[in-house]
Amino acid sequence: MSESRVPEEEEGTVLFKVPLPKDLGALRELAPLIIKHHYEIDYIHSYAQDSPFFAGLANKRLLGTRCGNCNYTYATPRAHCMECGGPCDWVDLPQEGQIHTFTVCYYGSEAFLKETPFILALIEFPGVDTLFLTRVVGLDPQASSLDWIGMAVKAKFRRLSTFRPTDVYFVPIGT
Amino acid sequence: MRPVYAVSGGVSKFARARPELDFRGMVKEAYDYALTDLHLTPQRAREIVDGTICSYFSDHFTRQLKAGSMVQDYLGLCPKPGKRIEGGGATGGLAVQSGWEAVASGRFDICVVYGFETMSRVNTWKGNEFIALASDTNFDYPVGGFYSGYYAMMVVRHMKEFGTTVEQMALVSVKNHRNALHNPYAQKRRQITIEDVRRAEMVAWPLTMLDICVMSDGAAALILCSEDGLNTLHKATGHTPLPAKITGVGGGLDAMRMADRPHGEVILLPHEKPEDYRGLNYPGVHSFRAGRTAAKAAYQMAGITNPLEELDFIELHDAYTSSEIQTYEDMGLCRYGEGGKFVESGTPFMPAVDYGYHFPEQGRIPINPSGGLIACGHPVGATGIMQGVFALWQLQGSIHTHFGSDVLQVKNARRGAIHSHAGTGTYVVISILEKGE
Ligand SMILES: [Zn+2]
């Protein structure tokens, strides 16, 4: 795609001094002063009761949870059942499923811009009541079509775990 | 519960950036407009307002915690009580309902609901990141957290399930941008075509830049009263306000992760039958159970049994063209799955505006006569309150006064609805307003 304008940059002029008029009444007309303010922070985040899922990924296992009370099975795990409030147990999910729905992201949050275009999909598994959000790799993003829905896909795992949900991704079966 | 009336409102222009005013200044502008419309001075308002509700979504955008306290002192309303409401995209609609609760309960006779967002303070893609933090940060955000991506996945399933087309979605964009040509408060005012929408840059397939609302700075204020409050206003100003009565409120929530939406049976509205939906897995990711739950409760309270027949207009939360179509269905204006055909028929367009297309049933129930979020902009905490202000003006018949033209006035508007929506359908609220007697 050809761009017909110069990309905007975030860097502006650094301002050191601004003149003031003698008549303070004229300050109502002063253009707003805009400064840049940097903000950065490291959070110490515990996965807490969701931790086993990430430990599973590090061992090439895709773990969901199942309610011990009503048997409802979650592809995206939760320690307590949304349907009945009972405690859930950890279970292995099938590593093969189908694309339930998907999109191709050409833009994204700033953190993911450099990875575009990428394919986001919700995967459904046989015998599992809820879905799993993941990236699909191995399809041509430009060839997106509703026919991708229902496509059989299988889980692949990063060799070196980063303890993020992207340690697992899905590829079409046969690739 | 006591009857609650909306009596006046104001909107501080929604724009890409408003560097000349901070959140306090923008709310002040909207509040002063609402007071002027009531012939009320800020000094007199200070004496008779009982309390406030403050609405803003993101502390990340504001970088000022407890910003509500700062608005309150800027408006000169200290030491009166107030509180801040937050509920994602639905923040404004939730705040209106909180104001309703405060008045209905008898706590306040005159309540000011005000809201704002200042989204220009970071670049668009950082802004998208802030908004995506309103998705599960363990499982959703790190995979590619991007709300347009989530909505695209929902409508892709809607297309597969029901045959909805991108051209039908584009018609929503044509309608809302065109309506906004006559709304001076709107951020994007243009006449566009279906082809323009489809040729715009792809954001998340199949949604283009013109299928998606933009980020904005802006504020809005809405004044709610009891019957005693109406009398107090009359005594204070010598003028009789032109009120709209809030006759129904409804709300609903759904699981934060769209991956967790269960498959069950459709929650039916009074005019629907179980046979309408045999074999439909509901809500899945194609429909909003929270929206349906909100509609059911609001309609029941207002005594509405067939919304298409009994509502004259709706201001609804069209963050995406696709979610406007999905919301037609949640609100029971058509059956689930028929939202695409509903817009194609022309039903939600203004009856007398030329959109450049011919429709068989143009204008039966105008949806987003103001231009909605897609054209007005979406400074989150202000948006739902703006809808309340526009709905009040429709019911007063005062669109001409406030917009400078009658084009967007829904003729003989007696009953309207406002709809506010958060997350991937996680908080939804609907309020019904009716012309006062
Ligand atoms: Zn259970």
Side-chain angles (χ1 to χ4, degrees):
Chain A
M1 215 175 299
S2 70
E3 274 286 350
S4 57
R5 61 176 182 196
V6 177
E8 290 291 340
E9 290 186 12
E10 296 273 294
E11 298 309 316
T13 307
V14 176
L15 186 70
F16 287 101
K17 266 189 151 180
V18 63
L20 276 188
K22 282 211 174 67
D23 169 17
L24 295 186
L27 283 175
R28 279 181 185 278
E29 307 302 320
L30 181 71
L33 295 177
I34 300 169
I35 62 163
K36 197 166 176 175
H37 187 149
H38 187 69
Y39 183 48
E40 194 174 311
I41 191 158
D42 284 319
Y43 280 93
I44 309 301
H45 177 68
S46 171
Y47 281 128
Q49 70 269 29
D50 292 338
S51 298
F53 172 80
F54 299 92
L57 295 185
N59 290 280
K60 298 193 180 344
R61 302 265 291 272
L62 188 59
L63 299 180
T65 57
R66 180 173 294 138
C67 176
N69 188 37
C70 76
N71 232 28
Y72 206 86
T73 306
Y74 295 93
T76 316
R78 58 175 64 234
H80 284 90
C81 178
M82 193 169 68
E83 295 298 308
C84 78
C88 293
D89 301 314
W90 289 94
V91 293
D92 273 303
L93 292 176
Q95 295 204 355
E96 293 185 2
Q98 291 185 2
I99 294 179
H100 181 78
T101 189
F102 72 94
T103 184
V104 181
C105 292
Y106 290 88
Y107 286 95
S109 299
E110 193 175 55
F112 308 109
L113 271 184
K114 59 185 183 302
E115 298 162 26
T116 58
F118 56 83
I119 300 166
L120 271 186
L122 286 164
I123 308 299
E124 57 182 56
F125 302 98
V128 177
D129 295 295
T130 69
L131 307 169
F132 183 73
L133 178 69
T134 192
R135 298 234 191 147
V136 171
V137 173
L139 288 170
D140 175 9
Q142 305 290 338
S144 51
S145 112
L146 291 182
D147 294 339
W148 286 3
I149 292 177
M151 183 185 288
V153 289
K154 64 174 188 229
K156 276 196 145 183
F157 298 87
R158 280 181 204 269
R159 197 167 54 82
L160 291 178
S161 182
T162 65
F163 298 94
R164 281 192 277 269
T166 42
D167 285 349
V168 63
Y169 55 96
F170 282 73
V171 298
I173 288 176
T175 58
Chain B
M1 281 182 300
R2 305 190 301 172
V4 180
Y5 301 87
V7 287
S8 181
V11 176
S12 180
K13 168 85 179 170
F14 294 3
R16 171 75 190 88
R18 298 278 310 270
E20 79 288 1
L21 284 177
D22 67 11
F23 58 93
R24 299 167 302 165
M26 289 192 299
V27 174
K28 173 77 172 147
E29 200 170 77
Y31 174 63
D32 282 352
Y33 189 95
L35 294 188
T36 303
D37 202 37
L38 285 173
H39 309 276
L40 190 61
T41 62
Q43 294 77 13
R44 202 76 182 87
R46 211 177 133 77
E47 292 162 21
I48 62 173
V49 168
D50 295 303
T52 63
I53 306 290
C54 173
S55 159
Y56 66 102
F57 156 57
S58 175
D59 294 310
H60 290 87
F61 281 114
T62 311
R63 286 258 13 241
Q64 169 65 64
L65 303 191
K66 257 167 49 52
S69 308
M70 293 175 70
V71 177
Q72 189 90 340
D73 71 41
Y74 201 79
L75 297 183
L77 290 175
C78 290
K80 293 167 196 298
K83 68 178 169 193
R84 180 240 181 137
I85 296 293
E86 189 278 316
T91 298
L94 284 161
V96 171
Q97 292 195 351
S98 279
W100 174 84
E101 286 155 10
V103 175
S105 68
R107 185 178 180 203
F108 296 160
D109 282 315
I110 301 180
C111 176
V112 183
V113 181
Y114 53 73
F116 66 86
E117 210 74 42
T118 49
M119 307 175 83
S120 69
R121 304 186 67 207
V122 296
N123 73 49
T124 298
W125 307 113
K126 184 55 93 179
N128 271 291
E129 203 174 296
F130 286 175
I131 292 166
L133 289 170
S135 61
D136 186 319
T137 54
N138 280 4
F139 292 100
D140 291 349
Y141 172 77
V143 182
F146 183 36
Y147 259 96
S148 298
Y150 304 155
Y151 275 81
M153 284 191 283
M154 289 192 275
V155 79
V156 163
R157 190 68 203 186
H158 199 278
M159 291 162 75
K160 181 75 174 184
E161 198 86 43
F162 304 122
T164 310
T165 67
V166 292
E167 288 77 18
Q168 290 168 337
M169 287 148 58
L171 274 174
V172 173
S173 185
V174 169
K175 167 173 72 69
N176 294 356
H177 281 100
R178 179 67 182 80
N179 287 351
L181 262 182
H182 305 281
N183 178 357
Y185 291 99
Q187 186 168 344
K188 290 168 71 200
R189 308 167 67 193
R190 32 211 279 219
Q191 174 129 29
I192 56 170
T193 64
I194 293 174
E195 292 70 33
D196 291 331
V197 180
R198 294 317 302 164
R199 274 197 303 257
E201 250 185 296
M202 190 61 73
V203 176
W205 188 85
L207 299 173
T208 74
M209 289 279 184
L210 289 175
D211 283 303
I212 304 173
C213 70
V214 291
M215 292 192 208
S216 321
D217 288 357
L222 182 66
I223 299 177
L224 304 181
C225 283
S226 64
E227 271 161 15
D228 288 345
L230 292 177
N231 290 332
T232 305
L233 275 175
H234 180 74
K235 273 189 224 132
T237 64
H239 287 81
T240 309
L242 210 52
K245 188 173 176 181
I246 300 177
T247 55
V249 291
L253 269 85
D254 212 336
M256 182 70 146
R257 306 190 292 231
M258 44 189 282
D260 285 347
R261 304 292 161 80
H263 286 163
E265 291 190 353
V266 178
I267 298 164
L268 297 174
L269 292 175
H271 66 291
E272 295 178 319
K273 298 181 293 295
E275 305 85 272
D276 295 344
Y277 298 120
R278 205 155 275 154
L280 178 64
N281 284 323
Y282 180 84
V285 297
H286 49 71
S287 301
F288 301 118
R289 184 172 54 163
R292 179 47 75 94
T293 306
K296 189 169 175 154
Y299 294 162
Q300 193 172 359
M301 189 170 159
I304 294 171
T305 52
N306 186 336
L308 181 62
E309 301 299 328
E310 297 166 50
L311 287 170
D312 298 316
F313 68 91
I314 301 173
E315 288 287 343
L316 68 76
H317 194 98
D318 57 325
Y320 300 89
T321 54
S322 51
S323 61
E324 175 162 327
I325 286 177
Q326 290 163 302
T327 299
Y328 299 152
E329 302 172 1
D330 297 326
M331 292 189 74
L333 306 175
C334 58
R335 287 196 296 190
Y336 276 112
E338 293 176 350
K341 292 198 183 75
F342 183 81
V343 67
E344 216 167 47
S345 70
T347 311
F349 288 73
M350 291 295 292
V353 171
D354 179 9
Y355 296 89
Y357 295 93
H358 172 75
F359 301 109
E361 290 183 67
Q362 183 171 341
R364 199 164 154 207
I365 175 167
I367 310 283
N368 284 324
S370 68
L373 281 56
I374 283 186
C376 290
H378 183 21
V380 183
T383 304
I385 300 171
M386 167 198 78
Q387 294 174 328
V389 175
F390 290 161
L392 170 64
W393 292 346
Q394 287 288 1
L395 294 165
Q396 287 179 329
S398 64
I399 288 289
H400 183 271
T401 310
H402 301 289
F403 286 5
S405 116
D406 248 338
V407 177
L408 299 178
Q409 177 68 55
V410 176
K411 301 282 176 282
N412 305 314
R414 301 200 54 80
R415 177 146 68 176
I418 57 174
H419 161 278
S420 220
H421 171 116
T424 51
T426 44
Y427 280 107
V428 185
V429 286
I430 295 172
S431 304
I432 311 290
L433 287 88
E434 297 185 29
K435 195 183 177 78
E437 299 312 323

